[in-house]
Coordinates of all heavy atoms in Angstrom, one line a residue:
M25 N 97.6 154.9 102.2 CA 97.9 156.3 102.2 C 97.7 157.0 103.6 O 98.1 158.1 103.7 CB 96.9 156.9 101.1 CG 97.5 158.3 100.6 SD 99.0 158.1 99.8 CE 99.4 159.7 99.4
K26 N 97.0 156.3 104.4 CA 96.8 156.8 105.8 C 98.0 156.9 106.6 O 98.1 157.6 107.6 CB 95.7 156.0 106.5 CG 94.4 156.0 105.8 CD 93.5 157.2 106.3 CE 92.2 157.0 105.6 NZ 91.3 158.1 105.8
T27 N 99.0 156.2 106.3 CA 100.3 156.1 107.1 C 101.1 157.4 106.9 O 101.9 157.6 107.7 CB 101.1 154.9 106.8 OG1 101.5 154.9 105.4 CG2 100.3 153.6 107.1
M28 N 101.0 158.1 105.7 CA 101.8 159.2 105.5 C 101.6 160.3 106.5 O 102.7 160.8 107.1 CB 101.5 159.7 104.1 CG 102.5 160.8 103.6 SD 104.1 160.1 103.5 CE 104.9 161.2 102.4
P29 N 100.4 160.7 106.8 CA 100.3 161.8 107.9 C 100.9 161.3 109.3 O 101.4 162.1 110.0 CB 98.8 161.9 108.0 CG 98.2 161.6 106.8 CD 99.1 160.5 106.2
L30 N 100.7 160.0 109.6 CA 101.3 159.5 110.8 C 102.8 159.6 110.8 O 103.4 160.0 111.8 CB 100.8 158.0 111.0 CG 101.5 157.3 112.2 CD1 101.0 157.9 113.5 CD2 101.2 155.9 112.2
L31 N 103.4 159.2 109.7 CA 104.9 159.4 109.6 C 105.3 160.8 109.6 O 106.4 161.1 110.2 CB 105.3 158.7 108.3 CG 105.1 157.1 108.2 CD1 105.5 156.6 106.9 CD2 106.0 156.5 109.3
I32 N 104.6 161.7 109.0 CA 105.0 163.0 109.1 C 104.9 163.6 110.5 O 105.9 164.3 110.9 CB 104.1 163.9 108.1 CG1 104.4 163.6 106.6 CG2 104.3 165.4 108.4 CD1 103.6 164.2 105.6
N33 N 103.8 163.2 111.2 CA 103.7 163.7 112.6 C 104.8 163.1 113.5 O 105.3 163.8 114.4 CB 102.4 163.4 113.2 CG 101.3 164.4 112.5 OD1 101.6 165.4 112.2 ND2 100.1 163.9 112.4
L34 N 105.2 161.8 113.2 CA 106.2 161.2 114.0 C 107.5 161.9 113.7 O 108.4 162.2 114.6 CB 106.3 159.7 113.7 CG 105.4 158.8 114.4 CD1 105.6 157.4 113.9 CD2 105.7 158.8 115.9
G35 N 107.8 162.2 112.5 CA 109.0 162.9 112.1 C 109.1 164.3 112.7 O 110.1 164.8 113.2
K36 N 107.9 165.0 112.8 CA 107.9 166.3 113.4 C 108.2 166.2 114.9 O 108.9 167.0 115.5 CB 106.5 167.0 113.2 CG 106.4 167.5 111.8 CD 105.0 168.2 111.7 CE 104.9 168.8 110.4 NZ 103.5 169.5 110.3
A37 N 107.7 165.1 115.5 CA 107.9 164.9 117.0 C 109.4 164.7 117.2 O 109.9 165.2 118.2 CB 107.1 163.8 117.5
F38 N 110.0 163.8 116.4 CA 111.4 163.6 116.6 C 112.2 164.8 116.4 O 113.2 165.1 117.1 CB 111.9 162.4 115.7 CG 111.5 161.1 116.2 CD1 110.8 160.2 115.4 CD2 111.8 160.6 117.5 CE1 110.4 158.9 115.9 CE2 111.4 159.4 118.0 CZ 110.7 158.5 117.1
T39 N 111.9 165.6 115.4 CA 112.7 166.8 115.1 C 112.5 167.8 116.2 O 113.5 168.4 116.6 CB 112.1 167.4 113.8 OG1 112.2 166.5 112.6 CG2 112.9 168.7 113.4
L40 N 111.3 167.9 116.8 CA 111.1 168.8 118.0 C 111.9 168.4 119.1 O 112.6 169.2 119.8 CB 109.7 168.9 118.3 CG 109.3 169.9 119.4 CD1 109.6 171.3 119.0 CD2 107.8 169.8 119.7
I41 N 112.0 167.1 119.4 CA 112.8 166.6 120.5 C 114.3 166.9 120.2 O 115.0 167.3 121.2 CB 112.6 165.0 120.6 CG1 111.2 164.8 121.2 CG2 113.7 164.4 121.5 CD1 110.7 163.3 121.2
A42 N 114.7 166.7 119.0 CA 116.2 167.0 118.7 C 116.5 168.6 118.9 O 117.5 168.9 119.5 CB 116.5 166.6 117.2
W43 N 115.5 169.4 118.5 CA 115.7 170.9 118.7 C 115.8 171.2 120.2 O 116.6 172.0 120.7 CB 114.6 171.7 118.1 CG 114.7 172.0 116.6 CD1 114.0 171.5 115.6 CD2 115.6 172.9 116.1 NE1 114.4 172.0 114.4 CE2 115.4 173.0 114.7 CE3 116.6 173.8 116.6 CZ2 116.1 173.8 113.8 CZ3 117.3 174.6 115.8 CH2 117.1 174.6 114.4
L44 N 114.9 170.5 121.0 CA 114.9 170.8 122.4 C 116.2 170.3 123.1 O 116.7 171.0 123.9 CB 113.7 170.1 123.1 CG 112.2 170.7 122.7 CD1 111.2 169.8 123.3 CD2 112.2 172.1 123.2
M45 N 116.7 169.1 122.7 CA 118.0 168.7 123.2 C 119.1 169.7 122.9 O 120.0 170.0 123.7 CB 118.3 167.3 122.7 CG 117.6 166.2 123.3 SD 117.9 164.6 122.7 CE 119.7 164.5 123.0
M46 N 119.2 170.1 121.6 CA 120.2 171.0 121.2 C 120.1 172.3 121.9 O 121.1 173.0 122.3 CB 120.2 171.2 119.7 CG 120.6 170.0 118.9 SD 120.7 170.1 117.2 CE 119.0 170.1 116.7
A47 N 118.9 172.9 122.1 CA 118.6 174.1 122.8 C 119.0 174.0 124.3 O 119.7 174.8 124.9 CB 117.2 174.6 122.7
Y48 N 118.6 172.8 124.9 CA 118.9 172.6 126.3 C 120.5 172.6 126.5 O 121.0 173.1 127.5 CB 118.3 171.3 126.8 CG 118.6 171.0 128.2 CD1 118.0 171.7 129.3 CD2 119.6 170.1 128.6 CE1 118.2 171.4 130.6 CE2 119.9 169.8 129.8 CZ 119.3 170.5 130.9 OH 119.5 170.2 132.2
N49 N 121.2 172.0 125.5 CA 122.6 172.0 125.6 C 123.2 173.3 125.6 O 124.4 173.5 126.2 CB 123.1 171.1 124.4 CG 124.7 170.9 124.5 OD1 125.2 170.4 125.5 ND2 125.3 171.3 123.5
L50 N 122.6 174.3 124.9 CA 123.1 175.7 125.0 C 123.0 176.3 126.4 O 123.9 177.0 126.8 CB 122.5 176.5 124.0 CG 122.8 176.3 122.5 CD1 121.9 177.1 121.7 CD2 124.2 176.5 122.2
V51 N 121.9 176.0 127.1 CA 121.6 176.5 128.4 C 122.4 175.9 129.5 O 123.0 176.5 130.3 CB 120.1 176.4 128.7 CG1 119.8 177.0 130.1 CG2 119.3 177.3 127.7
A52 N 122.4 174.5 129.4 CA 123.1 173.7 130.4 C 123.9 172.6 129.8 O 123.3 171.5 129.5 CB 122.1 173.1 131.4
P53 N 125.1 172.9 129.3 CA 125.8 171.9 128.4 C 126.0 170.5 129.1 O 126.2 170.4 130.4 CB 127.2 172.6 128.3 CG 127.0 174.0 128.6 CD 125.9 174.1 129.6
F54 N 125.8 169.5 128.3 CA 126.1 168.2 128.8 C 127.6 168.0 129.0 O 128.4 168.9 128.6 CB 125.6 167.1 127.7 CG 124.1 167.1 127.6 CD1 123.5 167.7 126.4 CD2 123.3 166.5 128.5 CE1 122.2 167.7 126.2 CE2 121.9 166.5 128.3 CZ 121.4 167.1 127.2
E55 N 128.0 166.9 129.7 CA 129.4 166.7 130.0 C 130.1 166.0 128.8 O 129.5 165.3 128.1 CB 129.5 165.9 131.2 CG 129.1 166.6 132.5 CD 129.4 165.8 133.7 OE1 130.3 164.9 133.7 OE2 128.6 165.9 134.7
G56 N 131.4 166.4 128.7 CA 132.2 165.7 127.7 C 132.0 166.1 126.3 O 131.6 167.2 126.0
N57 N 132.2 165.2 125.3 CA 132.1 165.5 123.9 C 130.7 165.6 123.4 O 130.5 166.1 122.3 CB 132.9 164.3 123.1 CG 134.4 164.4 123.4 OD1 134.9 165.4 123.7 ND2 135.0 163.3 123.2
V58 N 129.8 165.2 124.2 CA 128.4 165.2 123.8 C 128.0 166.7 123.6 O 127.2 167.0 122.6 CB 127.4 164.6 124.9 CG1 126.0 164.8 124.5 CG2 127.8 163.1 125.0
A59 N 128.5 167.6 124.4 CA 128.1 169.0 124.3 C 128.7 169.6 123.0 O 128.0 170.3 122.2 CB 128.6 169.8 125.5
I60 N 129.9 169.2 122.6 CA 130.5 169.6 121.4 C 129.8 169.1 120.2 O 129.5 169.9 119.2 CB 132.1 169.2 121.4 CG1 132.7 169.9 122.5 CG2 132.6 169.5 120.0 CD1 134.1 169.4 122.7
V61 N 129.4 167.8 120.2 CA 128.7 167.2 119.1 C 127.3 167.9 118.9 O 126.9 168.2 117.8 CB 128.6 165.7 119.3 CG1 127.6 165.1 118.3 CG2 129.9 165.0 119.2
L62 N 126.7 168.1 120.0 CA 125.3 168.9 119.9 C 125.4 170.2 119.4 O 124.5 170.7 118.6 CB 124.6 168.7 121.3 CG 124.0 167.4 121.6 CD1 123.4 167.4 123.1 CD2 123.0 167.0 120.7
N63 N 126.5 171.0 119.8 CA 126.7 172.3 119.2 C 126.9 172.2 117.7 O 126.4 173.1 116.9 CB 127.8 173.0 120.0 CG 127.4 173.4 121.4 OD1 126.3 173.7 121.7 ND2 128.4 173.5 122.3
I64 N 127.8 171.3 117.3 CA 128.0 171.2 115.8 C 126.7 170.8 115.1 O 126.4 171.3 114.0 CB 129.1 170.1 115.6 CG1 130.4 170.7 116.1 CG2 129.2 169.7 114.1 CD1 131.6 169.6 116.3
L65 N 126.0 169.8 115.7 CA 124.7 169.4 115.1 C 123.7 170.6 115.0 O 123.0 170.8 114.0 CB 124.1 168.3 115.8 CG 124.7 166.9 115.7 CD1 124.1 165.9 116.5 CD2 124.6 166.5 114.2
L66 N 123.8 171.5 116.0 CA 122.9 172.6 116.0 C 123.2 173.6 114.9 O 122.3 174.0 114.1 CB 123.0 173.4 117.3 CG 122.1 174.7 117.5 CD1 120.6 174.4 117.3 CD2 122.4 175.4 118.8
G67 N 124.4 173.8 114.6 CA 124.9 174.7 113.5 C 124.5 174.1 112.2 O 123.9 174.8 111.4
I68 N 124.8 172.8 112.0 CA 124.4 172.1 110.8 C 122.9 172.1 110.6 O 122.4 172.3 109.5 CB 125.0 170.7 110.8 CG1 126.5 170.7 110.7 CG2 124.4 169.9 109.6 CD1 127.1 169.3 111.0
T69 N 122.1 171.8 111.6 CA 120.7 171.8 111.5 C 120.1 173.2 111.2 O 119.2 173.3 110.3 CB 120.1 171.4 112.8 OG1 120.6 170.1 113.1 CG2 118.5 171.3 112.8
C70 N 120.7 174.3 111.7 CA 120.2 175.6 111.4 C 120.5 176.0 110.0 O 119.7 176.5 109.3 CB 120.9 176.6 112.3 SG 120.2 176.7 113.9
M71 N 121.7 175.6 109.5 CA 122.0 175.8 108.1 C 121.1 175.0 107.1 O 120.7 175.7 106.1 CB 123.5 175.5 107.8 CG 124.5 176.5 108.4 SD 126.2 176.2 107.9 CE 126.5 174.5 107.9
M72 N 120.9 173.8 107.4 CA 120.1 173.0 106.5 C 118.6 173.5 106.5 O 118.0 173.5 105.5 CB 120.1 171.5 107.0 CG 121.5 170.8 106.7 SD 122.0 171.0 105.0 CE 120.8 170.0 104.2
H73 N 118.1 173.8 107.7 CA 116.7 174.3 107.7 C 116.6 175.7 107.1 O 115.5 176.0 106.5 CB 116.2 174.3 109.2 CG 116.0 172.8 109.6 ND1 114.8 172.5 110.3 CD2 116.6 171.7 109.5 CE1 114.8 171.3 110.6 NE2 115.8 170.7 110.0
C74 N 117.5 176.5 107.1 CA 117.5 177.8 106.4 C 117.5 177.5 104.9 O 116.7 178.2 104.1 CB 118.7 178.7 106.7 SG 118.6 179.4 108.3
F75 N 118.3 176.5 104.5 CA 118.3 176.1 103.1 C 116.9 175.6 102.6 O 116.3 175.9 101.6 CB 119.4 175.1 102.8 CG 119.5 174.6 101.4 CD1 119.8 175.5 100.4 CD2 119.2 173.4 101.1 CE1 120.0 175.1 99.1 CE2 119.3 172.9 99.7 CZ 119.7 173.7 98.8
Q76 N 116.2 174.8 103.5 CA 114.9 174.3 103.3 C 113.9 175.5 103.2 O 112.9 175.4 102.4 CB 114.5 173.3 104.3 CG 115.3 171.9 104.1 CD 115.0 171.0 105.1 OE1 114.5 171.3 106.2 NE2 115.5 169.8 104.9
V77 N 114.0 176.5 104.0 CA 113.1 177.6 104.0 C 113.3 178.3 102.6 O 112.3 178.8 102.1 CB 113.4 178.6 105.1 CG1 112.7 179.9 104.9 CG2 112.9 178.0 106.5
A78 N 114.5 178.5 102.1 CA 114.7 179.1 100.8 C 114.1 178.2 99.7 O 113.5 178.8 98.8 CB 116.2 179.2 100.6
I79 N 114.2 176.9 99.8 CA 113.6 176.0 98.8 C 112.1 176.2 98.9 O 111.4 176.3 97.8 CB 114.0 174.6 99.0 CG1 115.5 174.4 98.7 CG2 113.2 173.6 98.2 CD1 116.0 173.1 99.1
F80 N 111.5 176.2 100.1 CA 110.1 176.4 100.3 C 109.6 177.7 99.7 O 108.6 177.7 99.0 CB 109.9 176.4 101.9 CG 108.4 176.7 102.2 CD1 107.5 175.8 102.0 CD2 108.2 177.9 102.9 CE1 106.1 176.0 102.4 CE2 106.9 178.1 103.3 CZ 105.8 177.2 103.0
H81 N 110.3 178.8 99.9 CA 109.9 180.0 99.3 C 109.9 180.0 97.9 O 108.9 180.5 97.2 CB 110.8 181.2 99.8 CG 110.5 182.5 99.3 ND1 109.4 183.2 99.7 CD2 111.1 183.2 98.3 CE1 109.4 184.4 99.0 NE2 110.4 184.4 98.2
M82 N 111.0 179.5 97.2 CA 111.0 179.4 95.7 C 110.0 178.5 95.2 O 109.4 178.8 94.1 CB 112.4 178.9 95.3 CG 113.5 180.0 95.6 SD 115.1 179.4 94.9 CE 115.6 178.2 96.0
L83 N 109.7 177.4 95.8 CA 108.7 176.4 95.2 C 107.3 176.7 95.4 O 106.4 176.6 94.6 CB 109.0 175.0 95.7 CG 110.3 174.4 95.3 CD1 110.4 173.0 95.9 CD2 110.3 174.2 93.8
F84 N 107.0 177.3 96.7 CA 105.5 177.4 97.0 C 105.0 178.7 97.0 O 103.8 178.9 97.2 CB 105.3 176.8 98.4 CG 105.5 175.2 98.4 CD1 106.7 174.7 98.9 CD2 104.5 174.4 98.0 CE1 106.9 173.3 98.9 CE2 104.7 173.0 98.0 CZ 105.8 172.5 98.4
K85 N 105.7 179.8 96.8 CA 105.2 181.2 96.9 C 104.1 181.5 95.9 O 103.3 182.3 96.1 CB 106.4 182.2 96.7 CG 107.0 182.3 95.4 CD 108.1 183.3 95.4 CE 108.9 183.2 94.0 NZ 110.0 184.1 94.0
T86 N 104.2 180.8 94.8 CA 103.2 181.0 93.7 C 102.0 180.1 93.8 O 101.0 180.3 93.2 CB 103.8 180.9 92.3 OG1 104.4 179.5 92.2 CG2 104.9 182.0 92.0
L87 N 102.2 179.0 94.6 CA 101.2 177.9 94.7 C 100.2 178.1 95.9 O 99.1 177.9 95.9 CB 101.8 176.6 94.9 CG 102.7 176.1 93.7 CD1 103.3 174.8 93.9 CD2 101.8 176.0 92.4
L88 N 100.8 178.6 97.0 CA 100.0 178.8 98.3 C 100.2 180.2 98.8 O 101.3 180.7 98.7 CB 100.4 177.7 99.3 CG 100.3 176.2 98.9 CD1 101.0 175.4 100.0 CD2 98.9 175.9 98.9
P89 N 99.2 180.7 99.5 CA 99.4 181.9 100.3 C 100.2 181.6 101.6 O 99.8 180.8 102.4 CB 98.0 182.4 100.6 CG 97.1 181.3 100.6 CD 97.7 180.3 99.6
L90 N 101.4 182.2 101.7 CA 102.3 181.9 102.8 C 102.3 183.0 103.8 O 102.4 184.2 103.5 CB 103.7 181.7 102.2 CG 103.9 180.6 101.1 CD1 105.2 180.5 100.6 CD2 103.4 179.2 101.7
T91 N 102.4 182.5 105.1 CA 102.5 183.5 106.2 C 103.9 183.3 106.9 O 104.6 182.3 106.6 CB 101.4 183.2 107.2 OG1 101.5 181.9 107.8 CG2 100.0 183.3 106.5
K92 N 104.2 184.1 107.8 CA 105.4 183.9 108.6 C 105.4 182.6 109.4 O 106.4 182.0 109.6 CB 105.6 185.1 109.5 CG 106.0 186.4 108.9 CD 106.1 187.5 109.8 CE 106.4 188.9 109.0 NZ 106.6 190.0 109.9
Q93 N 104.2 182.2 109.8 CA 104.1 181.0 110.6 C 104.4 179.8 109.8 O 105.0 178.8 110.2 CB 102.7 180.8 111.1 CG 102.5 179.6 112.0 CD 101.0 179.4 112.5 OE1 100.2 180.3 112.3 NE2 100.9 178.4 113.2
D94 N 104.1 179.9 108.4 CA 104.5 178.8 107.5 C 106.0 178.7 107.3 O 106.5 177.5 107.4 CB 103.9 179.1 106.1 CG 102.4 179.0 106.1 OD1 101.8 178.2 106.9 OD2 101.7 179.8 105.3
Y95 N 106.7 179.8 107.3 CA 108.1 179.8 107.1 C 108.8 179.3 108.5 O 109.7 178.5 108.5 CB 108.7 181.2 106.9 CG 108.4 181.6 105.4 CD1 107.4 182.5 105.2 CD2 109.1 181.1 104.4 CE1 107.1 183.0 103.9 CE2 108.8 181.6 103.1 CZ 107.8 182.5 102.9 OH 107.5 182.9 101.6
L96 N 108.2 179.6 109.6 CA 108.7 179.2 110.9 C 108.5 177.7 111.0 O 109.4 177.0 111.5 CB 108.0 179.9 112.0 CG 108.4 179.5 113.4 CD1 109.9 179.9 113.6 CD2 107.6 180.3 114.5
Q97 N 107.4 177.1 110.5 CA 107.2 175.7 110.6 C 108.2 175.0 109.8 O 108.7 173.9 110.1 CB 105.8 175.4 110.2 CG 104.8 175.5 111.2 CD 103.5 174.7 110.9 OE1 103.3 174.2 109.8 NE2 102.5 174.7 111.9
V98 N 108.5 175.5 108.6 CA 109.4 174.8 107.7 C 110.8 174.9 108.4 O 111.6 174.0 108.3 CB 109.5 175.4 106.4 CG1 110.7 174.9 105.5 CG2 108.1 175.1 105.6
F99 N 111.2 176.0 109.1 CA 112.5 176.2 109.7 C 112.6 175.1 110.8 O 113.6 174.5 111.1 CB 112.7 177.6 110.2 CG 114.0 177.7 111.0 CD1 115.2 177.8 110.2 CD2 114.1 177.7 112.3 CE1 116.5 177.9 110.8 CE2 115.3 177.9 113.0 CZ 116.5 177.9 112.2
I100 N 111.5 175.0 111.6 CA 111.6 174.1 112.8 C 111.5 172.6 112.3 O 112.3 171.8 112.8 CB 110.4 174.4 113.8 CG1 110.7 175.7 114.4 CG2 110.4 173.3 114.9 CD1 109.5 176.3 115.2
F101 N 110.6 172.3 111.5 CA 110.3 170.9 111.2 C 110.9 170.4 109.9 O 110.9 169.2 109.6 CB 108.8 170.6 111.2 CG 108.1 170.8 112.5 CD1 107.3 171.8 112.7 CD2 108.6 170.1 113.6 CE1 106.7 172.0 113.9 CE2 108.0 170.3 114.9 CZ 107.0 171.3 115.0
G102 N 111.5 171.3 109.0 CA 112.2 170.9 107.9 C 111.4 170.1 106.9 O 110.3 170.6 106.4
I103 N 111.9 169.0 106.4 CA 111.3 168.3 105.3 C 109.9 167.7 105.6 O 109.1 167.6 104.8 CB 112.3 167.1 105.0 CG1 111.7 166.4 103.7 CG2 112.4 166.1 106.1 CD1 111.9 167.2 102.4
F104 N 109.7 167.6 106.9 CA 108.3 167.1 107.3 C 107.3 168.2 107.0 O 106.2 167.9 106.6 CB 108.3 166.6 108.8 CG 109.3 165.5 109.0 CD1 110.4 165.8 109.7 CD2 109.1 164.3 108.4 CE1 111.4 164.7 109.8 CE2 110.0 163.3 108.6 CZ 111.1 163.5 109.3
S105 N 107.6 169.4 107.2 CA 106.6 170.5 106.9 C 106.6 170.6 105.3 O 105.5 170.9 104.8 CB 107.1 171.9 107.5 OG 106.7 171.8 108.8
L106 N 107.7 170.5 104.7 CA 107.7 170.6 103.2 C 106.8 169.5 102.6 O 106.1 169.8 101.7 CB 109.1 170.4 102.6 CG 110.0 171.6 102.9 CD1 111.5 171.2 102.3 CD2 109.6 172.8 102.2
L107 N 106.8 168.3 103.2 CA 105.9 167.3 102.7 C 104.4 167.6 102.9 O 103.5 167.4 102.1 CB 106.2 165.9 103.4 CG 107.5 165.3 103.0 CD1 107.8 164.1 103.9 CD2 107.5 164.8 101.5
T108 N 104.1 168.3 104.1 CA 102.7 168.7 104.4 C 102.3 169.7 103.3 O 101.2 169.7 102.7 CB 102.7 169.2 105.8 OG1 103.1 168.3 106.7 CG2 101.2 169.7 106.1
Y109 N 103.1 170.8 103.1 CA 102.8 171.9 102.1 C 102.7 171.3 100.7 O 102.0 171.7 99.9 CB 103.8 173.0 102.2 CG 103.5 173.7 103.5 CD1 104.5 173.7 104.5 CD2 102.4 174.6 103.7 CE1 104.3 174.5 105.7 CE2 102.2 175.2 104.8 CZ 103.2 175.2 105.8 OH 102.9 175.9 107.0
R110 N 103.5 170.3 100.4 CA 103.4 169.6 99.0 C 102.1 169.0 98.9 O 101.5 169.1 97.8 CB 104.6 168.6 99.0 CG 104.5 167.8 97.6 CD 105.7 166.8 97.6 NE 105.5 165.9 96.4 CZ 104.9 164.7 96.5 NH1 104.4 164.3 97.6 NH2 104.9 164.0 95.4
Q111 N 101.6 168.3 99.9 CA 100.3 167.7 99.8 C 99.2 168.7 99.7 O 98.3 168.5 98.9 CB 100.0 166.9 101.1 CG 100.8 165.6 101.2 CD 100.6 164.8 102.5 OE1 100.0 165.4 103.5 NE2 100.9 163.5 102.5
Q112 N 99.3 169.9 100.4 CA 98.4 170.9 100.2 C 98.3 171.5 98.7 O 97.4 171.8 98.2 CB 98.6 172.1 101.2 CG 98.3 171.7 102.6 CD 98.7 172.9 103.6 OE1 99.0 174.0 103.0 NE2 98.6 172.7 104.8
A113 N 99.6 171.7 98.2 CA 99.7 172.2 96.8 C 99.1 171.3 95.9 O 98.4 171.6 94.9 CB 101.1 172.5 96.6
M114 N 99.4 170.0 96.0 CA 98.8 169.0 95.1 C 97.3 168.9 95.2 O 96.6 168.6 94.2 CB 99.4 167.6 95.4 CG 100.9 167.6 95.0 SD 101.7 166.0 95.3 CE 100.8 164.9 94.3
A115 N 96.7 169.0 96.4 CA 95.3 169.1 96.6 C 94.6 170.2 95.8 O 93.5 170.1 95.3 CB 95.0 169.0 98.0
Q116 N 95.3 171.4 95.9 CA 94.7 172.6 95.2 C 94.9 172.4 93.8 O 94.0 172.9 93.0 CB 95.6 173.8 95.6 CG 95.1 174.5 96.8 CD 95.8 175.8 97.1 OE1 96.7 176.2 96.4 NE2 95.2 176.6 98.0
A117 N 95.9 171.7 93.2 CA 96.0 171.6 91.8 C 94.9 170.6 91.2 O 94.7 170.7 90.0 CB 97.4 171.0 91.5
I118 N 94.3 169.8 92.0 CA 93.3 168.9 91.5 C 92.0 169.5 91.2 O 91.6 170.4 91.7 CB 93.1 167.6 92.4 CG1 94.4 166.8 92.4 CG2 92.0 166.8 92.0 CD1 94.5 165.7 93.4

């Protein structure tokens, strides 16, 4: 069970790297089709993470006290933050 936090943190690190690459591409676009692909991925990522924030709000608003920082973390890290909050909610239920 000790590997779960490690995997979550690795996932968060990879997600942050992906966000940084997509943001850098907006400021200084890469050459060729890579820039187009990264722009498309940025749009898809934003939509999916907004959807995850909505899921987060619906599922956890009654279980945990939520702050704006919690919503921001879910937007940035997606499913990896959802897993962290799921563990917190399960720990409170026990």
Side-chain angles (χ1 to χ4, degrees):
M25 199 66 181
K26 298 272 185 191
T27 60
M28 189 64 159
L30 176 66
L31 292 175
I32 289 173
N33 287 333
L34 276 173
K36 285 182 177 182
F38 284 124
T39 304
L40 185 60
I41 290 169
W43 275 111
L44 291 174
M45 283 181 56
M46 291 182 287
Y48 180 78
N49 183 57
L50 288 176
V51 176
F54 294 105
E55 292 186 26
N57 292 334
V58 175
I60 296 168
V61 170
L62 285 174
N63 286 335
I64 292 169
L65 285 175
L66 178 63
I68 292 170
T69 302
C70 285
M71 288 187 322
M72 291 303 296
H73 284 225
C74 285
F75 182 65
Q76 288 174 350
V77 168
I79 291 171
F80 173 69
H81 178 73
M82 288 185 289
L83 292 178
F84 292 101
K85 69 180 174 186
T86 58
L87 300 174
L88 299 171
L90 302 175
T91 63
K92 290 180 183 179
Q93 183 180 359
D94 296 325
Y95 290 103
L96 182 62
Q97 276 197 357
V98 171
F99 180 75
I100 294 171
F101 298 114
I103 189 68
F104 300 108
S105 283
L106 287 175
L107 290 171
T108 302
Y109 289 109
R110 178 181 172 265
Q111 288 176 343
Q112 289 177 9
M114 290 177 65
Q116 273 189 348
I118 295 176

